[in-house]
Amino acid sequence: MERKIEKSDYDLLQSQTIDFLRFPLAVAVVFIHSFGTTEYYSPSSDFFHFSGTGFYDLIRICFSHVVTHIAVPTFFVISGFLFFCKVSTFNTLEGWKRKLLSRFHTLVIPYLLWNLIAVLIVVAVKVGGFFLRGKPLSSILDYFRDNDWLHLFWDCNVLGEDRTNWLGVYVSSTGPVNLPLWFLRDLIVVVAFSPIIFWLLKHLRYYLLYVLLLCYISGIWFNIPGVQVIAFLFFSIGAYVGIFGRNVIVECQKVKWLFYVLFCILLPLTVWFDGRSTHIGSLIYPFFVIVGVGTVFNLAAWLLETGRVKNKFPVLGKSSFFIYATHTLLILDFTTVICSRLLYWDNPVIQIVRYFMIPLLAVTICFLCYLLMQKYTPKILGILMGNR
């Protein structure tokens, strides 16, 4: 029997839900960047013949191309809400200055440091190649030239170059050298635009969200690195809730059964058409993500409200950004090599086990590194984490 809570307790439930979600969302991001170790085949031709390979591909499409893609939009909603939840702060210019300055320390400095670490790792690997294998040191200079120097800190990685919007215009995504930090980059941009977002929401209210929603679904938006509609839409959704004193959980629960039903319909469709990797999938994908974000909040709140899960280990949530920032810095490559050598058989069962082991082992290593730094180098960790 489910335990009912009073309306006055929803603020506490909202806070608990946000804290609880941080770690699983970070794990989801690790899965996004891990797609297994074998060649990819389209599952549609094999699955109805009960092909093990087809089933394996469906599994990794589900977890790496579809379900986990809810994570970053959810982070944007949380960020927008937390930025504006104390709306009285923005009644004065001094309040704005304090808020923006605090975000400079929690966003900009960690963003620059983690990308610098990624660059230094590449340089160190190339120097190691010189001493161990006699590779030319000129490859270091070539690396900077090929990535256009300072673009390493903004948009040296290009993804989805073949994606188009409703108008047929190509709309690729970009990221810095530490690829997952495109989220932090785009968050820095929307925070810089936060005074405009605040003014527009105050005057247009949810009509602004409708416009951004249409832009997100259609893909019709400015094709400028770091200025992506996904950030502006979901940050603005969280901002709307915070500015007008709403509760994220209450708002999501108003239509929770609609979220659940649509999620159950859209999930298999989005998986079958491989998310954004196919034309039909790219049309379904934005609807799935929107529904998925609402479903995640509802499901997490329900688990906490009914006592089915308890957030007994807050250190997991605190480590989420560290996991987010470090998992692609050789760690995921390392766990891929280890798991491939330990589980080297290429039958579908072993492939599925290996697929799950690689990101989970990477998360474990990242978490242990976090604990070690927390114990032995807390000041350095604090700087890297933006004193979160």
Side-chain angles (χ1 to χ4, degrees):
M1 184 175 180
E2 295 186 9
R3 181 180 64 85
K4 300 296 182 180
I5 63 172
E6 299 296 330
K7 189 173 181 179
S8 59
D9 292 333
Y10 273 104
D11 285 343
L12 176 60
L13 179 60
Q14 175 181 252
S15 177
Q16 291 174 339
T17 300
I18 290 173
D19 289 340
F20 169 72
L21 280 174
R22 295 182 192 276
F23 180 74
L25 292 179
V27 174
V29 172
V30 181
F31 269 88
I32 291 174
H33 298 120
S34 177
F35 195 61
T37 58
T38 56
E39 187 177 350
Y40 165 64
Y41 302 94
S42 174
S44 57
S45 59
D46 293 334
F47 186 65
F48 285 120
H49 296 92
F50 301 100
S51 162
T53 300
F55 182 72
Y56 166 60
D57 283 334
L58 277 175
I59 290 290
R60 54 184 180 160
I61 287 171
C62 179
F63 286 96
S64 290
H65 285 185
V66 180
V67 173
T68 51
H69 283 232
I70 299 169
V72 174
T74 305
F75 274 132
F76 277 125
V77 173
I78 292 171
S79 299
F81 171 75
L82 294 178
F83 188 86
F84 284 108
C85 63
K86 296 181 180 178
V87 70
S88 59
T89 303
F90 305 101
N91 291 335
T92 65
L93 181 60
E94 189 61 32
W96 275 102
K97 288 181 179 179
R98 285 198 304 270
K99 179 66 79 169
L100 292 175
L101 183 61
S102 71
R103 288 303 186 269
F104 178 83
H105 291 289
T106 59
L107 299 178
V108 178
I109 293 177
Y111 175 80
L112 293 174
L113 289 176
W114 282 112
N115 278 299
L116 178 61
I117 290 171
V119 172
L120 293 177
I121 287 174
V122 172
V123 172
V125 169
K126 292 185 179 297
V127 171
F130 169 74
F131 286 107
L132 298 176
R133 299 182 180 180
K135 292 185 176 181
L137 283 176
S138 59
S139 62
I140 297 175
L141 187 59
D142 292 338
Y143 169 72
F144 285 102
R145 285 173 177 168
D146 292 342
N147 288 284
D148 210 2
W149 297 91
L150 289 179
H151 284 263
L152 285 163
F153 289 85
W154 198 257
D155 62 348
C156 65
N157 284 303
V158 181
L159 306 172
E161 294 177 88
D162 58 342
R163 294 176 194 149
T164 59
N165 62 19
W166 285 7
L167 300 179
V169 177
Y170 288 99
V171 286
S172 59
S173 302
T174 63
V177 60
N178 191 345
L179 183 58
L181 294 189
W182 73 263
F183 160 73
L184 212 58
R185 177 200 65 183
D186 287 23
L187 184 56
I188 291 168
V189 172
V190 292
V191 166
F193 278 92
S194 59
I196 298 174
I197 294 173
F198 179 80
W199 186 88
L200 289 173
L201 284 173
K202 276 289 190 178
H203 290 81
L204 300 179
R205 299 177 74 90
Y206 48 79
Y207 291 108
L208 174 64
L209 302 183
Y210 290 157
V211 172
L212 292 173
L213 185 62
L214 179 61
C215 291
Y216 176 64
I217 292 171
S218 66
I220 300 172
W221 186 254
F222 309 102
N223 197 12
I224 303 172
V227 185
Q228 297 189 96
V229 67
I230 185 174
F232 279 84
L233 169 62
F234 291 100
F235 182 88
S236 296
I237 290 173
Y240 177 85
V241 176
I243 290 170
F244 294 103
R246 309 293 179 83
N247 184 290
V248 176
I249 306 305
V250 172
E251 296 303 311
C252 288
Q253 288 188 345
K254 287 179 180 178
V255 287
K256 67 177 180 180
W257 292 112
L258 179 62
F259 277 134
Y260 288 151
V261 170
L262 289 176
F263 184 83
C264 291
I265 294 172
L266 291 172
L267 174 60
L269 286 174
T270 314
V271 170
W272 190 253
F273 291 105
D274 199 359
R276 291 182 294 177
S277 300
T278 64
H279 177 66
I280 296 176
S282 65
L283 298 176
I284 304 171
Y285 175 87
F287 294 97
F288 169 78
V289 171
I290 294 163
V291 169
V293 171
T295 302
V296 162
F297 278 112
N298 278 322
L299 184 59
W302 174 73
L303 290 172
L304 290 166
E305 180 183 357
T306 57
R308 284 175 168 81
V309 297
K310 296 182 184 297
N311 193 15
K312 291 184 177 181
F313 304 100
V315 67
L316 293 177
K318 292 178 181 178
S319 69
S320 60
F321 177 73
F322 187 87
I323 294 169
Y324 193 102
T326 58
H327 71 274
T328 56
L329 302 180
L330 299 182
I331 295 175
L332 199 53
D333 291 335
F334 172 74
T335 59
T336 300
V337 171
I338 293 298
C339 292
S340 297
R341 291 184 178 180
L342 291 177
L343 302 172
Y344 54 86
W345 306 277
D346 272 335
N347 67 72
V349 174
I350 295 299
Q351 289 172 343
I352 292 172
V353 172
R354 191 168 59 209
Y355 166 75
F356 284 105
M357 278 189 64
I358 290 170
L360 292 178
L361 180 58
V363 169
T364 302
I365 293 173
C366 292
F367 180 67
L368 291 176
C369 289
Y370 172 82
L371 293 179
L372 288 173
M373 290 193 70
Q374 189 181 53
K375 183 175 182 179
Y376 296 107
T377 58
K379 291 184 178 180
I380 295 175
L381 179 64
I383 295 171
L384 292 173
M385 295 285 288
N387 294 312
R388 297 169 186 271

